[in-house]
């Protein structure tokens, strides 16, 4: 527990400060603020930087059945109020994660581990989950549905209702832990995709992943990213992400974890009011590696100064 500044005029009464705990798919988190996948490494890199007791959880880099080298450079560029990346899901592979990173993570005070899973076929995803099932110390799985399915001509799982349903149904069946499905924003109806994932067995949803984007250098006439296209993240996407979280949260009963451009406490409040139970921050960690902790601390202060005794009471409380 850290000291809470009780501001004058605050309505908060409890001596220990506001109740910041939230529950996502049966997993209790000390704060609704989570570090997003791909922007927080395997967690261990942040051991000396972030106090894990003060954040809700962190999501690992996406894990595949085999190690992946990712795309050639340049693969990250800055854009107006955001960034574009085409890292290409580079990762050490699920077995190396379990053998080399999990032993350390299990010893880290307060670290709640969410393992991010992806694959290019349903079978790949099932394999990753089966390996993770045998590793103690993981709270939750986040299934990245923004990946192309090579068995279906590269169609992205999360953009086709049938592919999404099949993926969620088959992975949920083998999952020994609660399954949170991370939806792609590159769809026409977020409500439809949210409902498909829920009815196929998802216990929580997270959204949004990055928006498909492109940037061209007018001088060279070449794409700024070697992969030609990439994913847009950061504050530039926040209003679209808030709208999608609002639509998804109204369409389902399971908890929604919102993200897209969160930099500070007020951004978190926006997502909670739109219907999110918890949030993730990704791009923010690129500007400041302590961002996630600072946002969590700022959110608690915001609750104090606004007389909010339970952060969970903000969920879906937008006044229309
Ligand atoms: C460099 C980078 C790498 C990412 N890698 C992953 C990944 O491996 N798996 C995943 O599900 N999302 C990945 N994401 C998406 C983020 O987790 C998040 O959904 C997105 O960036 C929107 O949040 P933000 O605006 O706070 O960054 C990545 C994002 C960035 C910027």
């Amino acid at each position: 527990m850290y000291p809470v500044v009780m501001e004058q005029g605050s309505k908060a009464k409890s001596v220990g400060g506001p109740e910041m705990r939230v529950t996502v798919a049966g997993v209790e988190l000390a704060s609704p603020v989570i570090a997003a996948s791909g922007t927080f490494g395997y967690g261990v890199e942040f051991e000396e930087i972030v106090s894990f007791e003060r954040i809700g959880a962190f999501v690992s880099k996406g894990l595949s059945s085999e190690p992946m080298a990712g795309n050639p450079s340049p693969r990250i560029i800055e854009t107006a109020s955001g960034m574009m990346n085409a890292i290409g899901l580079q990762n050490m592979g699920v077995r190396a994660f379990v053998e080399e990173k999990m032993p350390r993570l299990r010893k880290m005070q307060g670290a709640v581990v969410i393992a991010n899973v992806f694959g290019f076929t349903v079978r790949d995803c099932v394999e990753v989950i089966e390996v993770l099932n045998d590793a103690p110390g993981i709270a939750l799985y986040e299934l990245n549905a923004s990946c192309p399915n090579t068995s279906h001509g590269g169609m992205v799982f999360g953009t086709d209702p049938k592919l999404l349903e099949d993926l969620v149904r088959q992975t949920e069946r083998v999952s020994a832990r609660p399954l949170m499905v991370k939806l792609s924003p590159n769809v026409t109806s977020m409500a439809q995709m949210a409902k498909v994932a829920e009815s196929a067995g998802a216990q929580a949803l997270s959204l949004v992943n990055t928006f498909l984007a492109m940037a061209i250098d007018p001088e060279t006439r070449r794409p700024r990213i070697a992969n030609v296209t990439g994913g847009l993240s950061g504050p530039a996407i926040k209003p679209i992400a808030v709208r999608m979280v609002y639509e998804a949260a109204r369409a389902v009963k399971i908890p929604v974890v919102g993200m897209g451009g969160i930099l500070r406490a007020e951004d978190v409040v926006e997502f909670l009011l739109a219907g999110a139970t918890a949030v993730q921050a990704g791009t923010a960690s690129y500007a400041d590696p302590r961002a996630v902790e600072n946002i969590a601390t700022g959110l608690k202060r915001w609750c104090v100064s606004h007389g909010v005794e339970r952060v969970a009471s903000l969920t879906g409380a937008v006044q229309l």
Side-chain angles (χ1 to χ4, degrees):
M1 182 62 88
Y2 54 99
V4 175
V5 182
M6 299 293 274
E7 294 183 16
Q8 276 202 329
S10 161
K11 280 183 255 156
K13 290 184 196 80
S14 60
V15 178
E19 175 57 83
M20 298 307 286
R21 281 176 297 184
V22 296
T23 303
V24 175
V27 178
E28 192 177 271
L29 307 174
S31 160
V33 183
I34 300 168
S37 178
T39 63
F40 210 74
Y42 300 106
V44 291
E45 300 89 334
F46 286 78
E47 187 175 4
E48 305 293 327
I49 302 168
V50 166
S51 169
F52 282 76
E53 289 113 320
R54 295 184 184 181
I55 66 173
F58 83 90
V59 188
S60 75
K61 238 172 167 336
L63 301 165
S64 49
S65 57
E66 299 300 326
M68 282 178 54
N71 288 330
S73 293
R75 49 188 200 170
I76 288 192
I77 59 157
E78 197 173 337
T79 60
S81 296
M83 66 186 260
M84 252 176 74
N85 90 86
I87 303 288
L89 297 165
Q90 177 184 354
N91 79 103
M92 69 197 305
V94 66
R95 287 174 184 82
F97 172 74
V98 165
E99 280 158 30
E100 296 168 26
K101 306 295 178 189
M102 277 313 299
R104 183 75 220 138
L105 288 168
R106 279 192 284 270
K107 294 202 178 90
M108 279 164 53
Q109 191 74 24
V112 176
V113 183
I114 300 178
N116 183 284
V117 172
F118 75 93
F120 297 98
T121 63
V122 173
R123 179 64 230 152
D124 285 349
C125 295
V126 165
E127 187 181 329
V128 174
I129 288 176
E130 284 173 343
V131 174
L132 292 171
N133 281 344
D134 293 333
I138 300 171
L140 197 71
Y141 299 146
E142 179 178 66
L143 177 67
N144 176 6
S146 296
C147 203
N149 179 346
T150 49
S151 313
H152 282 80
M155 165 82 89
V156 172
F157 284 106
T159 59
D160 181 277
K162 283 208 173 58
L163 294 184
L164 181 65
E165 195 200 334
D166 187 41
L167 174 70
V168 176
R169 210 172 280 292
Q170 297 205 46
T171 48
E172 198 275 329
R173 202 173 286 159
V174 297
S175 177
R177 297 188 170 111
L179 186 71
M180 174 160 79
V181 176
K182 185 167 179 181
L183 296 174
S184 166
N186 300 307
V187 296
T188 309
S189 169
M190 189 47 90
Q192 180 196 13
M193 292 306 184
K195 278 188 199 147
V196 166
E198 178 184 49
S199 68
Q203 281 116 312
L205 302 176
S206 55
L207 60 132
V208 297
N209 211 315
T210 54
F211 286 81
L212 203 51
M214 183 172 176
I216 301 169
D217 181 340
E219 297 304 323
T220 62
R221 302 188 178 195
R222 296 176 65 82
R224 289 191 192 269
I225 286 215
N227 187 55
V228 180
T229 59
L232 184 66
S233 63
I237 69 170
K238 198 188 78 178
I240 317 179
V242 170
R243 186 264 296 173
M244 288 184 154
V245 165
Y246 173 73
E247 289 174 350
R250 284 164 72 100
V252 298
K253 294 199 171 63
I254 53 177
V256 171
V257 176
M259 78 198 91
I262 291 176
L263 294 186
R264 47 197 198 113
E266 286 82 354
D267 300 330
V268 178
V269 175
E270 230 183 298
F271 276 93
L272 298 180
L273 293 173
T277 297
V279 299
Q280 296 181 17
T283 299
S285 294
Y286 274 78
D288 173 5
R290 289 193 68 192
V292 181
E293 180 182 337
N294 292 339
I295 295 167
T297 308
L299 180 64
K300 190 163 186 173
R301 292 215 175 96
W302 192 95
C303 287
V304 171
S305 65
H306 290 75
V308 173
E309 295 181 7
R310 279 176 53 250
V311 73
S313 70
L314 294 171
T315 295
V318 61
Q319 308 220 342
L320 300 172

